Amino acid sequence: MLDVLTIGDEMLRTNTKPIKTFGGEIRLLADAMVETMHAEDGIGLAGPQVGVLKRIFVTHVSNDEPRVYINPEILESSEDAVEYEEGCLSVPGVYAPVARPSRVKVQAQDVEGKVFTLNADGLLARVIQHEYDHLRGVLFVDRLDEETRNRVLEVYKRRSRKYKGR
């Protein structure tokens, strides 16, 4: 299991670097990220959230198998946006509605370096976009209007203090 960084950690605001070497080390990282995501009851987790500034994220949505996305690029996004309540393992315990395109086409590499392309819609499309943002130092709270962002961050701070006090 890996430690999940929380908002305030500068690693979450740092751009990631492409992965150039594939093999055992990346496979171990991907497995540890999937394990951590499951242990934290998440449906997505990106490298920066576990202190790894590499272009990698994992997802596990619904009945789909866990997936690893290395060096992902969103090739296309639908024009229609859908608002949905999002949360984040790096901003635990708070949720807010975020508008995102309902469909995306993503191209990435798997742990062996093999390129794949995936058309995603619904929750998977949202998770892909959310995790992709992490690779660029963007958190879901950055996509909120200022008033909502301030309210969400205040709730997080209150809950965080309460948790640390136990």
Side-chain angles (χ1 to χ4, degrees), residues 71-138:
N71 302 324
E73 292 298 330
I74 293 179
L75 304 176
E76 296 174 16
S77 299
S78 63
E79 290 186 23
D80 62 315
V82 176
E83 198 168 79
Y84 188 82
E85 192 99 338
E86 283 190 27
C88 181
L89 296 177
S90 292
V91 192
V94 295
Y95 302 88
V98 177
R100 294 190 188 267
S102 64
R103 294 179 309 283
V104 295
K105 181 177 185 178
V106 63
Q107 185 173 70
Q109 292 169 278
D110 64 17
V111 293
E112 304 298 328
K114 182 180 175 195
V115 175
F116 68 91
T117 303
L118 176 70
N119 290 301
D121 61 7
L123 185 57
L124 180 58
R126 177 167 299 277
V127 174
I128 288 169
Q129 293 170 81
H130 179 108
E131 301 310 327
Y132 186 78
D133 275 354
H134 276 297
L135 303 182
R136 300 176 300 128
V138 176

Side-chain angles (χ1 to χ4, degrees), residues 15-159:
N15 259 328
T16 55
K17 303 242 185 273
I19 293 173
K20 296 179 180 168
T21 306
F22 295 82
E25 184 179 317
I26 290 300
R27 204 171 4 267
L28 287 173
L29 173 60
D31 289 346
M33 288 176 67
V34 168
E35 179 184 342
T36 301
M37 174 183 62
H38 287 152
E40 297 289 333
D41 291 326
I43 56 176
L45 185 68
Q49 293 180 274
V50 292
V52 176
L53 295 177
K54 295 183 179 180
R55 294 187 58 75
I56 181 172
F57 66 79
V58 297
T59 65
H60 191 184
V61 175
S62 303
N63 297 328
D64 200 7
E65 291 293 314
R67 275 186 211 269
V68 179
Y69 304 76
I70 297 172
N71 302 324
E73 292 298 330
I74 293 179
L75 304 176
E76 296 174 16
S77 299
S78 63
E79 290 186 23
D80 62 315
V82 176
E83 198 168 79
Y84 188 82
E85 192 99 338
E86 283 190 27
C88 181
L89 296 177
S90 292
V91 192
V94 295
Y95 302 88
V98 177
R100 294 190 188 267
S102 64
R103 294 179 309 283
V104 295
K105 181 177 185 178
V106 63
Q107 185 173 70
Q109 292 169 278
D110 64 17
V111 293
E112 304 298 328
K114 182 180 175 195
V115 175
F116 68 91
T117 303
L118 176 70
N119 290 301
D121 61 7
L123 185 57
L124 180 58
R126 177 167 299 277
V127 174
I128 288 169
Q129 293 170 81
H130 179 108
E131 301 310 327
Y132 186 78
D133 275 354
H134 276 297
L135 303 182
R136 300 176 300 128
V138 176
L139 300 176
F140 89 98
V141 295
D142 300 333
R143 296 196 171 274
L144 305 174
D145 63 71
E146 185 177 0
E147 182 181 329
T148 305
R149 181 175 48 251
N150 289 340
R151 181 178 46 78
V152 164
L153 292 175
E154 187 56 40
V155 169
Y156 169 72
K157 286 176 191 169
R158 278 197 310 270
R159 288 187 177 168

